[in-house]
């Protein structure tokens, strides 16, 4: 896509995200866009659909909606209005909205699946930023912003985790809980070959972190 249009989208998102939590700040968007471009090229996905969707997928923050699971649909609406203003066609907007709506974790929990290759690319790029060192940093930033009352405990085995239920209306009970409700399961949900390879790399640092945390906090009593 042409760089003028990309810059317009970038500026719009940068301003929209001024008051969001730091786990979903503009750096998250930049990492998702960069990874989405990389995977899209390997998968021969349409960059004119992937790039706007990657920029706009979190255009509305979770703090701006009543329930966390509404932020995807709200982001899709904001994206559609803005893309119409800058000259995207009806067909392109429909495809970009489909990508935004079917690539979020909230839509996955509602049973929606990414159909197009563009949705699979954006979903993998977005979810990869919840893994590895970035994932570890972001989960604590997110929990702090949304008022989790405690760090939690590593009460389960990181190598053979139990699947805890994730809250869809607000934050999980603690950031350490969130590893077991979501983050440790992401590697099994990647949609593209490049996503699967990258997820394998990013999984182990989370397991190592949890094991270290567990050993530092366990007492002999
Ligand atoms: Fe995101």
């Amino acid at each position: 896509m042409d760089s003028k249009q990309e810059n317009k989208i970038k500026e719009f998102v940068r301003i929209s995200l001024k008051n969001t939590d730091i786990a979903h700040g503009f750096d998250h968007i930049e990492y998702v866009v960069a990874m989405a471009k990389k995977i899209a090229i390997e998968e021969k996905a349409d960059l004119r659909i992937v790039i706007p969707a990657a920029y706009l997928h979190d255009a509305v923050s979770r703090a701006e909606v009543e329930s966390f699971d509404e932020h995807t649909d709200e982001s899709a609406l904001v994206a559609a209005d803005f893309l119409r203003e800058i000259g995207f066609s009806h067909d392109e907007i429909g495809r970009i909205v489909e990508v935004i709506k079917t690539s979020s974790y909230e839509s996955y929990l509602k049973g929606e699946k990414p159909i197009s290759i563009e949705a699979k690319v954006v979903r993998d790029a977005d979810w990869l930023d919840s893994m590895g060192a970035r994932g570890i940093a972001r989960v604590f930033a997110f929990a702090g912003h949304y008022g989790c009352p405690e760090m939690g405990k590593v009460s389960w085995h990181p190598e053979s985790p139990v699947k805890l239920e994730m809250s869809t209306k607000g934050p999980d009970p603690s950031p350490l809980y969130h590893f077991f409700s979501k983050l440790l399961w992401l590697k099994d949900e990647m949609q593209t070959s490049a996503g699967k390879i990258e997820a394998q790399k990013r999984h182990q640092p989370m397991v190592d972190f949890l094991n270290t945390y567990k050993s530092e906090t366990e007492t002999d009593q």
Side-chain angles (χ1 to χ4, degrees):
M1 66 180 296
D2 78 73
S3 58
K4 260 193 187 168
Q5 255 179 336
E6 182 172 346
N7 284 337
K8 278 186 193 169
I9 301 171
K10 200 173 178 175
E11 262 327 288
F12 175 77
V13 174
R14 196 197 297 276
I15 293 163
S16 306
L17 291 179
K18 268 200 175 131
N19 298 317
T20 193
D21 64 273
I22 64 169
H24 293 91
F26 191 67
D27 64 332
H28 168 60
I29 301 304
E30 287 184 303
Y31 291 128
V32 172
V33 170
M35 181 58 75
K37 284 179 181 175
K38 192 175 151 193
I39 302 176
I41 290 164
E42 288 189 34
E43 297 288 336
K44 299 185 173 43
D46 186 345
L47 286 167
R48 193 164 162 82
I49 303 303
V50 166
I51 293 173
Y55 272 112
L56 291 158
H57 79 281
D58 279 334
V60 174
S61 81
R62 287 157 185 80
E64 294 173 88
V65 289
E66 273 195 21
S67 169
F68 277 10
D69 58 357
E70 293 169 14
H71 96 98
T72 300
D73 287 350
E74 290 297 319
S75 294
L77 281 175
V78 167
D81 285 346
F82 176 69
L83 293 169
R84 204 171 293 121
E85 269 176 39
I86 63 167
F88 276 72
S89 72
H90 180 75
D91 173 64
E92 288 169 333
I93 292 171
R95 292 172 65 199
I96 294 163
V97 162
E98 181 265 339
V99 171
I100 294 173
K101 284 192 170 187
T102 60
S103 60
S104 75
Y105 201 79
E106 287 81 5
S107 61
Y108 161 78
L109 290 175
K110 288 178 187 168
E112 288 178 42
K113 292 189 171 75
I115 307 295
S116 66
I117 187 60
E118 288 75 22
K120 291 176 183 178
V121 167
V122 172
R123 182 173 123 156
D124 280 6
D126 185 30
W127 292 18
L128 281 167
D129 202 40
S130 297
M131 300 182 72
R134 280 276 304 164
I136 295 168
R138 291 179 69 226
V139 70
F140 289 96
F142 185 84
H145 187 91
Y146 287 104
C148 280
E150 58 179 18
M151 293 286 189
K153 285 196 165 72
V154 183
S155 306
W156 311 275
H157 292 292
E159 285 90 354
S160 51
V162 290
K163 179 84 171 78
L164 301 178
E165 197 172 327
M166 186 179 138
S167 169
T168 55
K169 309 286 181 199
D172 270 342
S174 74
L176 288 170
Y177 180 108
H178 195 63
F179 282 91
F180 293 86
S181 68
K182 176 182 174 185
L183 308 186
L184 291 174
W185 305 96
L186 294 177
K187 74 169 174 29
D188 303 326
E189 301 290 345
M190 290 290 128
Q191 303 288 305
T192 65
S193 306
K196 283 178 188 151
I197 292 167
E198 193 58 36
Q200 285 297 339
K201 287 189 220 160
R202 295 187 188 201
H203 183 77
Q204 194 57 41
M206 297 193 293
V207 171
D208 293 343
F209 166 76
L210 291 168
N211 278 326
T212 305
Y213 195 103
K214 193 173 167 66
S215 71
E216 286 175 0
T217 52
E218 271 174 352
T219 61
D220 294 333
Q221 298 149 18

